[in-house]
Each structure stands twice: as structure tokens, then as C-alpha cells.
Amino acid sequence: MMPFYDYSLASGLLCGILFGYILESAGFGSACKLTAQFRFSDWAVLKVMFTAIVVAAIGLYALSATGVIAYTDIYVPPAYLGGAAIGGLLIGAGFAVGGYCPGTAASAFGSGRLDGLVFMIGMVVGVGLFAAGYDTFGSWVTLGAIQTSRLPELLGISEPVLLALFALLAAVIFWLGSRVEHKLGGALTAEALDAR
């Protein structure tokens, strides 16, 4: 029986279920919708990701400014540029070829798509291969470590200015994405996804 008295486990499970539901509702459980981002015909993925970044950043800043949380209470691991570059290339290639990332693969499988299961199996195999070969190539992953815990300190600009820049970048992506989608015939609708 699951220990529902452990609030961290229960909240994680609830957030995971809600996240999967939202992914599926937005059409992100379909490889067709996701690979359309790489053809620039549907910018929904980029729009959602930037919206999430801006909302989370502003929310975190507001919670810190009002004293609800302190940045010093949040553990931020060092950033490894080598690992980010290698991981970004690998997950980007898999995403472009097959149309899933780990979260969307789980959402797809949960809604009955077997290609989502194939990607989940591939993810487990990939993690196993990474763990098995870490002694051989693990030094690549830790290249370019950045110990600065937060982006404002790393860039030397204030947090409100950084948040404004993120919001501006998100607005530009929304505007550009909408223009490109319109030129290429519009984003994929739920009906179009169901037809595929």
C-alpha cells in the first residue's frame, strides 16, 4: 500500500498525474504534434516551454520577495556545460526523429499509444548504458562546470531585468511562431491529430 501520509510522495504523484493529463489534453501525447515543432509548422512546444519558464521564474521571484521562501533554502546543483551539450544533442535527436521526450512518452503510453512505450523502454536502456559507461566517458559530462548557483549572479544583472528579458523573449517567440504557423497553414488541431 502506498504511504499517502508522506506528503512529498503524494504531492509528487498528484503533480505527475496532473502533468500527464495536461500534456495529453494539449496534444503533446502525439508524436505528430511534437515533431511539427522541428518542421516549424506548430510552435506549441516552444510556446508552452517558454510560458512555463517565465511563470515559474516570476512565481519564484514573488515568493522570495514576499519572504515565503529563501533562495538559500533551495539547492541548485552545479551546471555542467559538457553534460548539457551532450544530453541536449541526444535528447534533441531522439525528439526530432521519434517525437517524444520522457514526459510526453509516458503521457502517450498512458493514453494507449504503443510508440510511447517503445520510447520509455529506450529511455530505460539509455539510462542503463549511460550508467554502465560512466567510468569511461563520465569526464565528458562534467566538463565546463559552473558553480554559480543562479543566473542573475552568473550574468551580473538584476533579477527583475532578467525576468523582463525572459518575458520579452517569450513574447517574440509567440509572435514569430504565430507568423510562421500562419504561413505554413496553422498549428495542428485536435481533430487533425486524431485523423493521423
Side-chain angles (χ1 to χ4, degrees):
M1 184 168 172
M2 291 187 67
F4 285 107
Y5 57 83
D6 182 349
Y7 296 122
S8 62
L9 179 64
S11 65
L13 179 63
L14 177 61
C15 287
I17 291 169
L18 289 173
F19 183 61
Y21 175 77
I22 292 167
L23 282 177
E24 184 59 32
S25 298
F28 289 179
S30 167
C32 296
K33 177 97 172 162
L34 298 169
T35 54
Q37 176 66 64
F38 293 94
R39 294 190 303 272
F40 301 110
S41 60
D42 189 331
W43 286 55
V45 173
L46 209 52
K47 290 176 181 178
V48 166
M49 292 307 296
F50 266 92
T51 300
I53 290 168
V54 170
V55 169
I58 292 172
L60 191 57
Y61 176 70
L63 289 172
S64 172
T66 56
V68 176
I69 61 167
Y71 287 134
T72 54
D73 294 337
I74 302 171
Y75 172 70
V76 180
Y80 295 108
L81 300 182
I86 294 167
L89 285 171
L90 291 174
I91 198 168
F95 206 155
V97 170
Y100 291 118
C101 69
T104 57
S107 173
F109 177 59
S111 64
R113 294 182 180 92
L114 291 181
D115 56 344
L117 175 61
V118 170
F119 267 78
M120 289 176 67
I121 292 169
M123 182 174 46
V124 171
V125 170
V127 168
L129 290 173
F130 175 80
Y134 189 80
D135 290 339
T136 305
F137 56 81
S139 59
W140 303 350
V141 176
T142 57
L143 286 175
I146 298 176
Q147 297 298 325
T148 305
S149 61
R150 300 184 58 243
L151 205 52
E153 287 87 12
L154 180 66
L155 299 176
I157 59 177
S158 72
E159 194 163 358
V161 170
L162 185 63
L163 292 173
L165 290 173
F166 273 136
L168 179 63
L169 182 59
V172 168
I173 286 173
F174 268 75
W175 175 80
L176 179 64
S178 297
R179 287 187 55 96
V180 173
E181 283 174 353
H182 182 70
K183 278 191 172 184
L184 296 176
L188 293 172
T189 63
E191 294 79 17
L193 290 171
D194 289 339
R196 293 181 178 201

